[in-house]
Amino acid sequence: ETGVTQTPRHLVMGMTNKKSLKCEQHLGHNAMYWYKQSAKKPLELMFVYSLEERVENNSVPSRFSPECPNSSHLFLHLHTLQPEDSALYLCASSQDVSSGANVLTFGAGSRLTVL
Amino acid sequence: GENVEQHPSTLSVQEGDSAVIKCTYSDSASNYFPWYKQELGKRPQLIIDIRSNVGEKKDQRIAVTLNKTAKHFSLHITETQPEDSAVYFCAAEDKAAGNKLTFGGGTRVLVKP
C-alpha cells in the first residue's frame, strides 16, 4: 500500500440508499482530496480539505457530503445518488494545498455503481 | 481558472518505438506541471514533474519538455516496453484555485509487443 487506503473498493447501491466511502492516509499529509474519475473524462476535483477545513467545493451536488474529522481521515457520504454518479472515486493526499508543487498520493479508489 | 487539453486520447506504438503526449494549458501563471501514470485497475502515480524554471527534465526513458511561451508541455517515452501501457495524465497547477491541479483528459497508451 502507498499510504492512502480507501474502503470499500467496490460498492453497488440503489438510488435511495445511503452509503459512505472512507479514506485514510498514513503519510502525515495536511491536505486530502476527493476526485471523481469517469470514463473518457478528466479527473474531476470534488472536494479539498486542508487541516480538516474544507477549502474547495467544485459545485458538487449536495447528494455528495464530505467529512474530514481529522487530517488522516476523509469520508464521502452518499445519498439519493443517480446512475450517472457511477464512477471511480479517488482519494488523494498531499503535504499541503498551497505549496506550489502539490505531489498527490492517490488511493486505489472506490468503484461505485448506482443502480 | 486553468484549462488543460491533452492529445492524443489514445496512442498505439510498437515496442521499442517512442511515444509523445502533448498538453496545453491556459493560465500563464502556472509553474508546476506533473505527469501521472495509471495502469489498468490501479491508482494514478506521479512519474515525473517539471517546474517552469527549466525547459526539460529526464528520468531514464521518460522526459518532459516545457514551452512556457507557447503554454505547452510534452511527455516523451523512449524505447517503449509493454509495461509502459497505461493511461497518462498531464496536469497544471491552477494558481487562481490555490495551486490545486487541473488534469488533462488522459492518453491511453498501448505498447504492442
Side-chain angles (χ1 to χ4, degrees):
Chain A
E1 287 295 340
T2 63
V4 178
T5 305
Q6 288 187 243
T7 54
R9 293 293 308 276
H10 300 273
L11 178 63
V12 180
M13 59 188 290
M15 292 166 59
T16 58
N17 290 160
K18 287 185 180 181
K19 298 286 184 182
S20 295
L21 307 181
K22 179 183 176 183
C23 178
E24 186 174 357
Q25 59 98 359
H26 308 279
L27 301 168
H29 287 169
N30 294 321
M32 295 187 77
Y33 309 75
W34 279 117
Y35 280 89
K36 177 183 179 181
Q37 187 174 31
S38 307
K40 300 182 180 179
K41 281 189 177 181
L43 284 162
E44 298 174 69
L45 179 63
M46 299 176 71
F47 300 103
V48 182
Y49 277 82
S50 175
L51 296 171
E52 304 145 48
E53 286 194 24
R54 189 191 305 181
V55 298
E56 181 84 16
N57 174 357
N58 280 0
S59 302
V60 178
S62 59
R63 57 186 184 268
F64 295 92
S65 175
E67 178 190 0
C68 188
N70 55 63
S71 59
S72 299
H73 293 84
L74 185 65
F75 295 89
L76 188 63
H77 303 300
L78 316 168
H79 62 99
T80 60
L81 294 191
Q82 305 297 312
E84 59 264 29
D85 297 322
S86 298
L88 181 69
Y89 289 85
L90 289 162
C91 174
S93 69
S94 68
Q95 186 61 56
D96 295 292
V97 170
S98 302
S99 68
N102 277 328
V103 177
L104 298 176
T105 301
F106 284 92
S110 294
R111 173 72 60 185
L112 173 66
T113 302
V114 181
L115 301 177
Chain B
E2 180 71 273
N3 183 45
V4 178
E5 300 280 342
Q6 184 172 347
H7 299 280
S9 57
T10 59
L11 180 59
S12 182
V13 297
Q14 206 65 40
E15 182 177 357
D17 288 350
S18 295
V20 180
I21 304 169
K22 299 182 179 181
C23 289
T24 60
Y25 61 99
S26 60
D27 185 0
S28 57
S30 294
N31 58 23
Y32 175 65
F33 308 92
W35 286 87
Y36 285 79
K37 175 184 179 182
Q38 186 176 25
E39 296 178 33
L40 187 63
K42 295 192 176 180
R43 70 198 75 199
Q45 290 189 297
L46 179 72
I47 55 170
I48 195 168
D49 56 13
I50 190 168
R51 291 175 176 78
S52 60
N53 57 342
V54 296
E56 183 176 4
K57 184 177 178 180
K58 277 187 176 182
D59 183 2
Q60 298 182 349
R61 294 186 297 105
I62 60 173
V64 57
T65 58
L66 172 64
N67 183 326
K68 282 220 74 177
T69 303
K71 290 189 284 187
H72 67 69
F73 57 112
S74 301
L75 179 72
H76 304 252
I77 308 173
T78 58
E79 299 173 30
T80 53
Q81 300 170 5
E83 55 264 36
D84 295 327
S85 296
V87 179
Y88 293 81
F89 295 95
C90 64
E93 69 176 4
D94 189 337
K95 284 288 191 183
N99 298 321
K100 286 171 279 294
L101 295 178
T102 297
F103 284 87
T107 297
R108 184 173 299 278
V109 174
L110 175 62
V111 179
K112 295 180 287 186

